[in-house]
Short mmCIF file of all heavy atoms in Angstrom, two decimals:
data_model
loop_
_atom_site.label_atom_id
_atom_site.label_comp_id
_atom_site.label_asym_id
_atom_site.label_seq_id
_atom_site.Cartn_x
_atom_site.Cartn_y
_atom_site.Cartn_z
N SER P 87 -1.90 8.67 -14.74
CA SER P 87 -2.33 9.08 -13.41
C SER P 87 -1.82 8.09 -12.36
O SER P 87 -2.11 6.91 -12.42
CB SER P 87 -3.86 9.15 -13.34
OG SER P 87 -4.37 10.14 -14.19
N ALA P 88 -1.04 8.60 -11.42
CA ALA P 88 -0.39 7.74 -10.43
C ALA P 88 0.40 8.63 -9.48
O ALA P 88 0.47 9.84 -9.63
CB ALA P 88 0.56 6.75 -11.11
N VAL P 89 0.99 8.00 -8.48
CA VAL P 89 1.95 8.67 -7.64
C VAL P 89 3.35 8.30 -8.13
O VAL P 89 3.64 7.13 -8.36
CB VAL P 89 1.81 8.27 -6.14
CG1 VAL P 89 2.81 9.04 -5.27
CG2 VAL P 89 0.37 8.54 -5.67
N TYR P 90 4.19 9.30 -8.29
CA TYR P 90 5.54 9.07 -8.80
C TYR P 90 6.56 9.37 -7.72
O TYR P 90 6.55 10.46 -7.11
CB TYR P 90 5.80 9.93 -10.04
CG TYR P 90 4.99 9.48 -11.22
CD1 TYR P 90 3.70 9.95 -11.42
CD2 TYR P 90 5.51 8.59 -12.15
CE1 TYR P 90 2.93 9.52 -12.51
CE2 TYR P 90 4.77 8.17 -13.23
CZ TYR P 90 3.48 8.64 -13.41
OH TYR P 90 2.75 8.21 -14.47
N PHE P 91 7.44 8.43 -7.49
CA PHE P 91 8.47 8.56 -6.47
C PHE P 91 9.86 8.63 -7.10
O PHE P 91 10.19 7.85 -7.99
CB PHE P 91 8.45 7.37 -5.50
CG PHE P 91 7.26 7.30 -4.60
CD1 PHE P 91 6.19 6.51 -4.93
CD2 PHE P 91 7.23 8.04 -3.44
CE1 PHE P 91 5.07 6.44 -4.13
CE2 PHE P 91 6.10 8.01 -2.60
CZ PHE P 91 5.04 7.21 -2.97
N CYS P 92 10.62 9.56 -6.60
CA CYS P 92 12.05 9.64 -6.90
C CYS P 92 12.78 9.02 -5.73
O CYS P 92 12.35 9.16 -4.56
CB CYS P 92 12.45 11.10 -7.08
SG CYS P 92 14.18 11.38 -7.49
N ALA P 93 13.88 8.31 -5.99
CA ALA P 93 14.61 7.67 -4.90
C ALA P 93 16.11 7.70 -5.17
O ALA P 93 16.56 7.74 -6.30
CB ALA P 93 14.14 6.21 -4.73
N LEU P 94 16.88 7.63 -4.07
CA LEU P 94 18.34 7.69 -4.12
C LEU P 94 18.91 6.46 -3.42
O LEU P 94 18.43 6.07 -2.37
CB LEU P 94 18.81 8.96 -3.40
CG LEU P 94 20.30 9.14 -3.10
CD1 LEU P 94 21.07 9.34 -4.37
CD2 LEU P 94 20.48 10.33 -2.17
N ASP P 95 19.90 5.85 -4.02
CA ASP P 95 20.57 4.68 -3.44
C ASP P 95 22.07 4.93 -3.45
O ASP P 95 22.66 5.02 -4.51
CB ASP P 95 20.23 3.42 -4.27
CG ASP P 95 20.83 2.17 -3.70
OD1 ASP P 95 21.52 2.24 -2.67
OD2 ASP P 95 20.60 1.10 -4.30
N ASN P 96 22.66 5.05 -2.28
CA ASN P 96 24.11 5.26 -2.25
C ASN P 96 24.88 3.98 -2.35
O ASN P 96 26.10 3.99 -2.55
CB ASN P 96 24.51 6.03 -0.98
CG ASN P 96 24.39 5.16 0.26
OD1 ASN P 96 23.62 4.24 0.33
ND2 ASN P 96 25.16 5.50 1.28
N HIS P 97 24.18 2.86 -2.22
CA HIS P 97 24.74 1.55 -2.47
C HIS P 97 26.12 1.36 -1.85
O HIS P 97 27.11 1.12 -2.53
CB HIS P 97 24.83 1.28 -3.96
CG HIS P 97 24.72 -0.19 -4.27
ND1 HIS P 97 23.49 -0.78 -4.38
CD2 HIS P 97 25.64 -1.14 -4.41
CE1 HIS P 97 23.69 -2.06 -4.63
NE2 HIS P 97 24.98 -2.33 -4.66
N THR P 98 26.17 1.56 -0.55
CA THR P 98 27.41 1.42 0.19
C THR P 98 27.76 -0.06 0.32
O THR P 98 27.02 -0.81 0.95
CB THR P 98 27.28 2.05 1.58
OG1 THR P 98 26.93 3.41 1.44
CG2 THR P 98 28.59 1.93 2.33
N GLY P 99 28.87 -0.47 -0.27
CA GLY P 99 29.25 -1.88 -0.22
C GLY P 99 28.22 -2.72 -0.86
O GLY P 99 27.75 -2.45 -1.97
N ALA P 100 27.78 -3.77 -0.15
CA ALA P 100 26.80 -4.70 -0.73
C ALA P 100 25.40 -4.29 -0.34
O ALA P 100 24.44 -4.96 -0.72
CB ALA P 100 27.09 -6.08 -0.24
N ASN P 101 25.29 -3.21 0.41
CA ASN P 101 23.96 -2.84 0.91
C ASN P 101 23.30 -1.80 0.04
O ASN P 101 23.77 -0.67 -0.03
CB ASN P 101 24.06 -2.33 2.35
CG ASN P 101 24.57 -3.37 3.30
OD1 ASN P 101 24.25 -4.54 3.15
ND2 ASN P 101 25.38 -2.96 4.23
N SER P 102 22.24 -2.18 -0.62
CA SER P 102 21.45 -1.21 -1.38
C SER P 102 20.35 -0.71 -0.47
O SER P 102 19.54 -1.49 0.02
CB SER P 102 20.84 -1.91 -2.58
OG SER P 102 19.87 -1.10 -3.20
N LYS P 103 20.31 0.59 -0.22
CA LYS P 103 19.28 1.19 0.62
C LYS P 103 18.71 2.39 -0.10
O LYS P 103 19.40 3.37 -0.37
CB LYS P 103 19.85 1.60 1.97
CG LYS P 103 20.21 0.45 2.86
CD LYS P 103 20.76 0.93 4.21
CE LYS P 103 19.70 1.69 4.97
NZ LYS P 103 20.18 2.11 6.32
N LEU P 104 17.41 2.31 -0.39
CA LEU P 104 16.75 3.41 -1.11
C LEU P 104 16.20 4.42 -0.11
O LEU P 104 15.59 4.08 0.88
CB LEU P 104 15.58 2.86 -1.95
CG LEU P 104 15.95 2.07 -3.19
CD1 LEU P 104 14.69 1.48 -3.81
CD2 LEU P 104 16.66 2.95 -4.19
N THR P 105 16.45 5.70 -0.43
CA THR P 105 15.83 6.80 0.25
C THR P 105 14.81 7.43 -0.70
O THR P 105 15.20 7.85 -1.80
CB THR P 105 16.85 7.86 0.67
OG1 THR P 105 17.80 7.26 1.56
CG2 THR P 105 16.17 9.02 1.39
N PHE P 106 13.54 7.45 -0.30
CA PHE P 106 12.49 7.92 -1.19
C PHE P 106 12.07 9.34 -0.88
O PHE P 106 12.12 9.78 0.29
CB PHE P 106 11.24 7.04 -1.01
CG PHE P 106 11.32 5.70 -1.69
CD1 PHE P 106 11.91 4.64 -1.04
CD2 PHE P 106 10.80 5.52 -2.95
CE1 PHE P 106 11.98 3.37 -1.63
CE2 PHE P 106 10.87 4.28 -3.57
CZ PHE P 106 11.47 3.20 -2.90
N GLY P 107 11.65 10.05 -1.91
CA GLY P 107 10.94 11.30 -1.68
C GLY P 107 9.50 11.00 -1.28
O GLY P 107 9.11 9.81 -1.25
N LYS P 108 8.71 12.00 -1.01
CA LYS P 108 7.36 11.79 -0.53
C LYS P 108 6.35 11.52 -1.65
O LYS P 108 5.21 11.20 -1.39
CB LYS P 108 6.90 12.97 0.31
CG LYS P 108 7.65 13.10 1.62
CD LYS P 108 7.05 14.15 2.54
CE LYS P 108 7.78 14.14 3.87
NZ LYS P 108 7.21 15.13 4.81
N GLY P 109 6.80 11.65 -2.88
CA GLY P 109 5.95 11.32 -4.00
C GLY P 109 5.16 12.50 -4.54
O GLY P 109 4.88 13.47 -3.81
#
Side-chain angles (χ1 to χ4, degrees):
Chain P
S87 296
V89 181
Y90 291 86
F91 290 97
C92 180
L94 170 69
D95 182 0
N96 71 335
H97 210 84
T98 302
N101 297 324
S102 168
K103 290 181 63 177
L104 288 174
T105 299
F106 284 85
K108 292 188 176 181

